[in-house]
Amino acid sequence: MSEHFIQGKTFENIDFSKQLFEAEEFEDCQFIRCNFMQGDLSNILFSKSRFQECDLSMAKLVKTGFREVEFVQCKMLGMQFDVCNPFLLSFKFDQCVLNFSSFYELKIKKTAFVNCKLEEVDFIQTDLSNAIFHQSDLSRAKFEQTKLQGADFRQAHNYSIDPEMNGIKGAKFSREGLGGLLDKYGIEVE
């Protein structure tokens, strides 16, 4: 095991925003209440790791790898996930604020967004097949040529999805959310 590989370590209350990582790969690690705001996470691989109550807002993610990574109660404003390493990219978000982030053109099937704020998030041309948006706020999120087959929006709210511009076959919506599929027509559903 090289010095550039760290496994099974917990990092708590550390400010990573102004320092460079010496390690290139973290596996089975936990980051608790750490600050990564505007930090540079480029070219680092995180595998089977967990970020809890961290601030990752505006962190640089050029070729960053996230494989089976869980984010819990994290602040993640303006994250550009679209420049991450797409190989085996997989993550889960629980109670996170991801406003103004971008997932443009990513293949992130089965991704779970649970109790998240996803305001003005870019999902254009993203493959979100079988994704879950449980209790998530999708105000002004952008869906265009997005693959949403089998995605679950039954408990999501404030979304606006054009069925003619997105693949929604098999997607699940609640009766209360049907208005979000009709927004472009300017009609009111009561």
Side-chain angles (χ1 to χ4, degrees):
M1 181 170 19
S2 75
E3 62 187 43
H4 297 288
F5 177 81
I6 295 176
Q7 183 176 25
K9 188 170 180 185
T10 298
F11 301 88
E12 244 182 295
N13 300 309
I14 298 175
D15 186 354
F16 290 107
S17 65
K18 294 180 175 70
Q19 65 186 46
L20 294 174
F21 280 97
E22 290 182 24
E24 296 168 358
E25 184 174 350
F26 294 87
E27 185 176 311
D28 276 326
C29 290
Q30 289 193 54
F31 299 89
I32 302 169
R33 291 180 300 283
C34 293
N35 181 21
F36 298 90
M37 188 174 166
Q38 297 183 335
D40 192 352
L41 303 178
S42 299
N43 297 303
I44 297 172
L45 172 60
F46 297 95
S47 300
K48 298 178 182 173
S49 294
R50 177 183 170 108
F51 293 80
Q52 184 170 341
E53 298 178 57
C54 294
D55 187 349
L56 294 108
S57 298
M58 303 294 291
K60 293 172 188 70
L61 300 176
V62 178
K63 296 183 182 174
T64 304
F66 292 112
R67 300 185 187 148
E68 297 180 50
V69 173
E70 184 177 11
F71 297 95
V72 180
Q73 298 176 328
C74 291
K75 182 177 177 184
M76 307 173 79
L77 302 174
M79 302 285 291
Q80 299 298 308
F81 290 102
D82 53 331
V83 298
C84 286
N85 181 344
F87 184 68
L88 298 175
L89 184 66
S90 63
F91 30 53
K92 175 181 171 182
F93 302 94
D94 186 357
Q95 301 172 65
C96 293
V97 178
L98 288 141
N99 299 346
F100 313 108
S101 294
S102 177
F103 293 92
Y104 177 71
E105 288 189 332
L106 290 178
K107 290 181 172 74
I108 50 173
K109 298 177 180 183
K110 300 181 182 178
T111 299
F113 298 93
V114 179
N115 294 311
C116 291
K117 291 192 69 70
L118 298 160
E119 295 177 11
E120 297 191 44
V121 169
D122 182 351
F123 289 117
I124 295 173
Q125 296 181 21
T126 304
D127 187 347
L128 288 163
S129 303
N130 299 303
I132 297 168
F133 294 93
H134 182 75
Q135 294 294 331
S136 290
D137 182 355
L138 291 154
S139 297
R140 297 174 307 285
K142 298 169 195 77
F143 295 93
E144 191 175 304
Q145 297 177 6
T146 305
K147 293 180 182 177
L148 299 168
Q149 290 85 348
D152 190 344
F153 289 91
R154 289 179 291 188
Q155 295 186 15
H157 47 278
N158 298 324
Y159 55 83
S160 179
I161 299 170
D162 184 344
E164 294 174 20
M165 293 183 69
N166 298 283
I168 63 168
K169 186 174 184 176
K172 299 168 188 78
F173 299 92
S174 68
R175 289 186 197 277
E176 294 80 24
L178 289 179
L181 299 174
L182 304 170
D183 284 343
K184 80 175 203 170
Y185 301 108
I187 60 176
E188 290 183 32
V189 179
E190 291 185 18

